[in-house]
Amino acid sequence: MYLRGRNDFLNMVQTLTNHAPNSSTGLVLEGGGMRGLFTAGVIDVFLENGITFPNAVGVSAGACFGVNLKTEQIGRALRYNIQMAGNPHYMSLRSLLLTGDYVNAEFCYHTIPTQIDVVDTKTFLRNTMRFHIVCTDIDTGEAVYHELTDLDYDNLEWIRASASLPIVSRPVLRDGRRLMDGGMADSIPLQYSERLGYHRNVVILTQPFGFRKEPARHPWLFQLFCGRYPAMVNSLTHRAERYNACLEQIERQAANGTVLLITPPRKLDIGRIEQNPDKLQAIYQLGRQTCLAQLDQIKEYINK
């Protein structure tokens, strides 16, 4: 099931909220490329301690790594990223030149999960947690929301769309729409989770508390590389102000108790496409440590 834009699903809200009583706690997962290994560490602590949610919404890396919560595969996100670090078939300029995608589409999103580090589809289907992802329609600039109901080729393509970064990725065609990185339209999909009926949410960010995004230093590059898609250029140009406004709202909600924030204690020393195994391991471990330090608080919050 997909929903185009933030308001397309309003006619469905009543039906969806019947499955999400006000006391339910949702989970919201920010993206951030390899900063997402912080989230992977948090998720693994959730799994080890039996912490579950009725619904999760992930964007970009939050979608890629967050799906392991529903398949219940502890360590998988870190494992395959370390195994593939430096592999030109995974992420490389060679892949960008040959395929149009810096992150090789077929190898990363289909060969790895079906042949190398196989996703547990049976557990995914058995697990009652719902999992939604966010993409951006590059022709309209609107967010497109999709519920993963399986881990077949089609749904893996939806995950790829959510994580396909502008300039270094091709658009992904799904249901007649050209889709890319969900973070362009909805970087932290808290409002979407609330509209599904989850009025208390655990939100995992990959930037430290108080972080604010700086405006793009060279916005002309968006026009140069993405000029065919003016709505996408507009989304990229104004992304910082929308993202910062979202952070301010989330911080207000954290203060009033409708959000529990899990954030890195400091800015993560890692790039979006980092392939240094030691750095990958360090960010994952930081996620684990952060979650363990908040474990009692998290359990108390979701059990209220």
Side-chain angles (χ1 to χ4, degrees), residues 1-3 7-18 130 195-196:
M1 177 181 71
Y2 71 88
L3 300 166
N7 298 315
D8 273 7
F9 56 87
L10 290 179
N11 291 332
M12 300 175 64
V13 166
Q14 187 60 54
T15 299
L16 289 169
T17 53
N18 286 338
R130 304 175 72 178
R195 289 176 181 178
L196 292 178

Side-chain angles (χ1 to χ4, degrees), residues 89-92 95 99 101-105 108-109 168-169 273:
H89 296 292
Y90 184 40
M91 295 190 292
S92 65
S95 174
T99 71
D101 293 293
Y102 187 89
V103 178
N104 187 286
C108 178
Y109 292 98
V168 294
S169 306
I273 53 175

Side-chain angles (χ1 to χ4, degrees), residues 204-247:
I204 305 176
L205 303 182
T206 58
Q207 297 283 10
F209 185 83
F211 170 83
R212 294 294 184 269
K213 185 182 288 292
E214 296 291 333
R217 293 182 180 180
H218 306 292
W220 57 271
L221 287 173
F222 302 145
Q223 185 64 42
L224 177 64
F225 288 100
C226 310
R228 290 179 296 168
Y229 309 108
M232 181 167 71
V233 171
N234 182 67
S235 292
L236 290 167
T237 302
H238 297 284
R239 183 174 182 180
E241 57 196 78
R242 293 197 313 273
Y243 179 76
N244 292 340
C246 183
L247 286 176

Side-chain angles (χ1 to χ4, degrees), residues 38-141:
F38 174 86
T39 301
V42 174
I43 284 172
D44 283 354
V45 173
F46 286 170
L47 288 169
E48 291 165 359
N49 288 273
I51 295 174
T52 61
F53 299 85
N55 189 78
V57 188
V59 57
S60 194
C64 295
F65 300 156
V67 75
N68 294 299
L69 181 60
K70 189 167 169 63
T71 64
E72 302 176 17
Q73 290 176 280
I74 296 172
R76 181 176 177 271
L78 178 67
R79 184 171 60 241
Y80 74 75
N81 274 290
I82 286 182
Q83 181 182 352
M84 294 298 145
N87 186 328
H89 296 292
Y90 184 40
M91 295 190 292
S92 65
L93 288 174
R94 175 180 179 273
S95 174
L96 179 63
L97 292 172
L98 293 179
T99 71
D101 293 293
Y102 187 89
V103 178
N104 187 286
E106 189 64 29
F107 185 79
C108 178
Y109 292 98
H110 299 289
T111 301
I112 289 176
T114 63
Q115 299 177 34
I116 296 174
D117 202 320
V118 180
V119 290
D120 188 343
T121 303
K122 289 184 178 179
T123 298
F124 180 94
L125 295 173
R126 173 186 57 77
N127 191 326
T128 58
M129 182 186 78
R130 304 175 72 178
F131 197 95
H132 297 76
I133 65 170
V134 189
C135 304
T136 299
D137 183 326
I138 63 173
D139 292 301
T140 67

